Amino acid sequence: MKKQPFRHLFACSIAIVLCLGTALAQNVTGSITGQVTDPTGALVTGARVTATNVATGVKTSSKTNAAGVYTIRYLPIGTYTIEVDAEGFAASQATPFALDIDQTAKVNVQLQLATTATTMQVTEEVHPILDTTDATLGNTLTTNEIQNIPLNGRNFSSLTLFQPGAIDTDPTGMTGNNAIERNTYNSGIAAINGNREQENNYTIEGADDNEPQNNLIGYNPAPDAIAELRVVSANADASYGNANGGQVVTILKSGTNNFHGSAYDLLEDSIFDANSWGNGLAYCADCNPPTPASPITKYTQNIFGGTLGGPIVKNKFFFFVDYEGIRYHKAQPLEETSVLTPAMLKGDFSALTAA
C-alpha cells in the first residue's frame, strides 16, 4: 500500500455587514406591509412605521399613504418588531415576528387615542403569517433547523432533500467526499420535481453559485455559516430565473449586537466506520476456496472549523467570519508499471520474443 500525498483543503469566508438601510437583491430580503387604522376603523395617513431588527437594533422607517398603507422593503432576514407613531394616538408596538427570504409580511395595526399628557403603548400580537397573494411553492429552513439536521459529510446540498418533490438517485453522493470544497458530480445534487440535477440554480447572498462547465454547485458553504436556506420548487417569481428545477437560495449569517460563534470537528476514519457495500461484493462463502470480502479502504477525513460574529459599532456596524479546514488522505493498492530496460533503451527488444 502507498499513501497519497497529504492534501489540505480549506474554505474561508468573511462577511462585514454595514446596515444603513441599503437596498439588496429582492430574492434575499423580505418586506413588511400593512394598514394603520384608528379605533373606529378609519384610515390613518402620515403615521410613521418603524421596523426594528431585534438582533442588530437597526431601524428602517416608512410612512402611511392616503390609503393608510405602509411598505418597508429590502429588509435582511431576521426577527423584527413594528412600532407605529401618529399625532394624537398612543404609540403601538407589535410583538417580534420572523421575516424569511423573499417574504412579504402583512402586519395591520389599530391605534388607540392618546390620553392627556401621556402616551400609551399597545402591544399587538402577530400570528404566523400566511401570504395568500404569493403562489410560490417552496420550503425554508432556518438556522435552528439547519443546526439540528444531521449532515453526514457536512454537505449543505443535503438540506434540499427536505423539499417536497426532491429526490436523490445516489444517496451516498449527498454525503460523500464531493462535499469537500464544491460538488464535482451530479450525484451530490438533488433532482427536484423530475428535473435533472443540472437544472437547479444556486445562489449565495444573491450571487451566482453555479459551476459553469457542468452547471453544478460552484462552492459549498459550511452549514454553520448558513442563516437560512430556501428551495423554490415551482411558480418562482420574476426575480428568479435560469433554471427549470429548484431555486436554491442561501443566506449566510451576519453579525449582531451580541458576540456569537461555534466550533465543530467531524472525524471520519476507517477505524471507526464500517466497510463499504462495494467491498463486500467480493465475499463468496460457497466458492472453492472461499473468497473473503475486500478489507476496508484505509482513509482519514477530518472537517473542522468555526464561526464568530459580533458588533464593531453597536446598532450600526457588524462582522461575521467563518473558517472550515479539511484534512483528507487515503491509501490505495500499489500499481505495477513496466518500464524500458537498459537494453531496450539501446534498441535491443529481443527480450520480448524470448521463450
Side-chain angles (χ1 to χ4, degrees):
M1 304 286 285
K2 70 176 181 179
K3 288 190 175 182
Q4 291 183 337
F6 178 76
R7 297 201 305 167
H8 175 201
L9 302 177
F10 72 92
C12 180
S13 65
I14 300 176
I16 298 179
V17 182
L18 178 60
C19 295
L20 295 175
T22 55
L24 302 177
Q26 181 182 358
N27 62 343
V28 296
T29 60
S31 302
I32 303 174
T33 187
Q35 192 173 57
V36 179
T37 58
D38 67 10
T40 66
L43 304 176
V44 178
T45 62
R48 177 172 293 276
V49 183
T50 302
T52 303
N53 189 308
V54 174
T56 63
V58 175
K59 299 178 182 293
T60 307
S61 298
S62 178
K63 286 189 176 183
T64 57
N65 58 18
V69 176
Y70 72 92
T71 302
I72 305 175
R73 297 185 175 90
Y74 310 119
L75 295 173
I77 63 171
T79 302
Y80 285 85
T81 61
I82 292 292
E83 185 174 352
V84 182
D85 292 292
E87 186 177 355
F89 296 92
S92 179
Q93 185 176 27
T95 55
F97 60 94
L99 186 65
D100 296 330
I101 298 173
D102 202 25
Q103 179 188 21
T104 299
K106 188 173 184 180
V107 182
N108 296 325
V109 179
Q110 186 177 66
L111 298 177
Q112 304 296 323
L113 294 176
T115 58
T116 304
T118 62
T119 301
M120 179 178 61
Q121 178 174 309
V122 180
T123 301
E124 300 286 344
E125 183 178 358
V126 179
H127 298 282
I129 299 169
L130 177 63
D131 189 354
T132 59
T133 63
D134 187 0
T136 300
L137 298 180
N139 184 39
T140 301
L141 296 177
T142 64
T143 301
N144 183 62
E145 293 166 331
I146 295 172
Q147 289 177 343
N148 287 280
I149 294 175
L151 298 176
N152 183 22
R154 296 185 55 80
N155 188 349
F156 94 105
S157 182
S158 300
L159 297 170
T160 60
L161 291 176
F162 291 88
Q163 167 66 39
I167 63 170
D168 181 32
T169 57
D170 181 10
T172 60
M174 299 293 284
T175 59
N177 293 339
N178 57 10
I180 295 178
E181 189 179 17
R182 69 181 183 91
N183 285 75
T184 56
Y185 190 65
N186 58 5
S187 63
I189 300 177
I192 299 177
N193 291 341
N195 292 283
R196 296 184 63 187
E197 293 88 343
Q198 291 90 342
E199 294 296 329
N200 297 333
N201 184 51
Y202 291 83
T203 61
I204 295 181
E205 296 287 340
D208 186 85
D209 187 30
N210 298 290
E211 185 272 320
Q213 182 173 359
N214 298 305
N215 203 30
L216 302 176
I217 302 176
Y219 169 71
N220 283 33
D224 283 59
I226 298 176
E228 195 167 291
L229 183 141
R230 176 168 174 78
V231 181
V232 180
S233 59
N235 299 334
D237 59 40
S239 63
Y240 301 99
N242 191 36
N244 293 323
Q247 302 281 349
V248 183
V249 184
T250 304
I251 302 298
L252 301 179
K253 294 178 180 178
S254 61
T256 66
N257 280 329
N258 298 315
F259 287 98
H260 58 281
S262 64
Y264 57 88
D265 190 346
L266 174 64
L267 174 64
E268 295 178 289
D269 192 278
S270 55
I271 298 176
F272 304 125
D273 295 355
N275 203 355
S276 67
W277 178 80
N279 285 351
L281 290 177
Y283 176 73
C284 179
D286 298 330
C287 296
N288 188 18
T291 57
S294 300
I296 188 171
T297 304
K298 302 296 182 181
Y299 80 101
T300 298
Q301 177 175 289
N302 191 23
I303 304 176
F304 60 94
T307 65
L308 179 63
I312 297 177
V313 179
K314 190 174 181 179
N315 294 339
K316 292 184 178 180
F317 198 26
F318 313 92
F319 78 93
F320 180 83
V321 295
D322 81 275
Y323 170 85
E324 183 166 278
I326 294 142
R327 305 291 190 271
Y328 176 74
H329 68 267
K330 69 177 181 179
Q332 63 183 17
L334 290 173
E335 298 180 358
E336 295 184 2
T337 304
S338 299
V339 297
L340 296 176
T341 64
M344 292 178 180
L345 293 174
K346 297 179 180 180
D348 182 3
F349 294 90
S350 59
L352 299 177
T353 59

